[in-house]
């Protein structure tokens, strides 16, 4: 037996068996020789809205070759509920890919999926498969399922001590997964003292939540945030008075009071979530606050700043959350994020059209977007991104870029843990939200939101670039590689940003004048 495993590196077709604190599990071996363990339970939730319990021990060997259940939710871009066959409140499971279950103590990379705090799961797309990343970097890759939406972020704390932390049950699940990793990952060839959490969009916001909650202290050592911050989800989270309003109105619509609150354990999930979503849709207007995606949009489920589990916002007037001290951070966004998503269905044709635009035509389209600032915007864009064609100025993202910059600057001001800043520009103007994920996982050829026509060989090189930088950061705390070239840490003074692309460029304060021109009132 090597580190609790009956086969340190089994051949293809054999079945690796590894010991955990709860019992032995049997995984599988991929064609590349990576060991894979899926649906591994890290905790068990027997009730809604309360912390899950440690996994009960079992006899014999438990199968871990199939993905586990996911959190109940609505299907993405649909009002249909995910089938009960694949979803459950007891969805606390994770997936592991490791080159070998020996005593090497490899860096551990823990993936937190996107979908805000409302939807998604650890296995929803081939882009999340950890095999190639584990093999390329000789690292252990873990992805985590946890409770979402109303099951993970419904603040019932007014209704009894039992529900004191219900507003952050989803984050508690992730903390439980990290606790399990700390105790068990050495048997999978991982180092519990070198754990990096990384996530995109809502997954990046989950990284911020973990950097804010004192309950996660010591369970991870570095963080990576990919496009994971907006001004109302990431920079800040839900205030408790807002969470209480949403809870009270939802319970009222369902007919629950303090006297019958335990009946909420039995109400069908679809009815529960539908009631909560209806209140969220109206709450921002009722309370006179901005919705999650800006003025006029609904609120969304997210962590609750209760002064205890979540003591502060991740970023406040006092700076970055104290829980983030000592944690180095790699943080950035994609060049186009949401601006070009509407064009994905006809991306090839649209790119061909854009490439034929004259300067006069580009200016005319820019004037529709930027008004009398159009000429200045194009000029500043060319200064910021001299490698890009001018038509890219029609797809400038500020919705994610500005909050990411605010978060980056606040963390750098903390002066406790280095901060490395990036912008992913490959594929522009279709460097959209989620586009970097397949390259980070070294899974070129897969996609999350849609497929666009790109050069296969270039894709492979970008995958080598991105996965290499992420692996380097996980192993050493510095993302610099031979492919990136020199990569300085970000400070307010340096404004150092790495533009990751076919030709990666380290630049300084490169887009700040452009951002000030577009959103002069924004402060970071």
């Amino acid at each position: 037996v090597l580190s609790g495993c009956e086969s340190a590196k089994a051949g293809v077709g054999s079945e690796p068996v590894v010991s955990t604190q709860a019992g032995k599990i049997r995984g599988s071996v991929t064609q590349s020789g990576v060991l894979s363990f899926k649906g591994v339970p890290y905790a068990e939730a027997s009730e809604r809205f309360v912390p899950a319990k440690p996994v009960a021990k079992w006899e014999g060997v438990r199968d871990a070759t199939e993905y586990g259940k996911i959190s109940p939710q609505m299907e993405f871009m649909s009002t249909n509920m995910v089938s009960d066959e694949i979803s459950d409140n007891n969805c606390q499971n994770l997936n592991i890919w490791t080159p070998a279950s020996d005593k090497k103590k490899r860096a551990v990379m823990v993936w937190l999926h996107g979908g805000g705090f409302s939807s998604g799961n650890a296995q929803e797309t081939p882009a999340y498969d950890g095999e190639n990343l584990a093999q390329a970097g000789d690292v252990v890759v873990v992805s985590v399922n946890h409770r979402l939406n109303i099951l993970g972020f419904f603040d019932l704390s007014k209704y009894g001590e039992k529900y004191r932390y219900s507003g952050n049950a989803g984050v508690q699940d992730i903390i439980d997964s990290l606790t399990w990793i700390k105790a068990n990952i050495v048997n999978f060839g991982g180092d519990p003292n070198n754990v990096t959490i990384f996530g995109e969009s809502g997954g990046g916001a989950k990284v911020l939540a973990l950097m804010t909650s004192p309950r996660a202290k010591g369970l991870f050592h570095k963080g990576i945030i990919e496009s994971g911050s907006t001004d109302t989800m990431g920079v800040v989270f839900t205030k408790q008075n807002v969470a209480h309003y949403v809870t009270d109105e939802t319970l009222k619509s369902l007919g629950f009071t303090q006297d019958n609150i335990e009946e909420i354990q039995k109400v069908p999930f679809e009815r529960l979530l539908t009631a909560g979503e209806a209140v969220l849709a109206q709450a921002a207007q009722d309370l006179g606050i901005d919705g999650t995606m800006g003025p006029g949009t609904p609120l969304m489920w997210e962590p609750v700043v209760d002064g205890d589990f979540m003591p502060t916002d991740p970023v406040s007037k006092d700076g970055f959350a104290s829980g983030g001290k000592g944690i180095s951070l790699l943080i950035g966004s994609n060049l186009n994020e949401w601006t070009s998503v509407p064009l994905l269905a006809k991306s090839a044709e649209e790119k061909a059209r854009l490439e034929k635009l004259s300067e006069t035509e580009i200016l005319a389209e820019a004037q529709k977007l930027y008004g009398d600032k159009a000429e200045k915007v194009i000029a500043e864009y060319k200064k910021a991104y001299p490698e890009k064609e001018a038509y890219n100025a029609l797809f400038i993202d500020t919705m994610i870029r500005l909050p990411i910059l605010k978060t980056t600057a606040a963390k750098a001001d903390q002066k406790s843990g280095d901060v490395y800043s990036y912008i992913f520009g490959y594929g522009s103007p279709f460097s959209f939200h989620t586009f970097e994920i397949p390259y980070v996982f070294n899974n070129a050829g897969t996609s999350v939101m849609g497929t666009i026509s790109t050069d296969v060989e270039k894709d492979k090189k970008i995958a080598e670039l991105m996965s290499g930088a992420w692996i380097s950061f996980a192993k050493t705390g510095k993302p610099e590689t031979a492919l990136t070239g020199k990569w300085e840490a970000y400070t307010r003074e340096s404004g150092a940003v790495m533009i990751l692309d076919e030709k990666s460029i380290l630049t300084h304060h490169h887009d700040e004048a452009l951002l000030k021109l577009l959103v002069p009132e924004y402060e970071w």
Side-chain angles (χ1 to χ4, degrees), residues 97-110:
W97 293 267
T98 180
S101 52
D102 50 23
K103 296 183 179 181
K104 192 170 181 179
K105 290 190 176 181
R106 296 166 179 82
V108 180
M109 300 179 70
V110 181

Side-chain angles (χ1 to χ4, degrees), residues 391-420:
Y391 63 75
N392 283 280
L394 303 174
F395 302 95
I396 301 170
D397 164 67
T398 58
M399 187 181 78
I400 301 292
R401 172 60 181 149
L402 282 170
I404 285 288
L405 183 54
K406 178 184 285 188
T407 304
T408 303
K411 174 58 181 165
D413 289 346
Q414 195 175 48
K415 300 186 186 305
S416 181
D418 291 332
V419 183
Y420 293 90

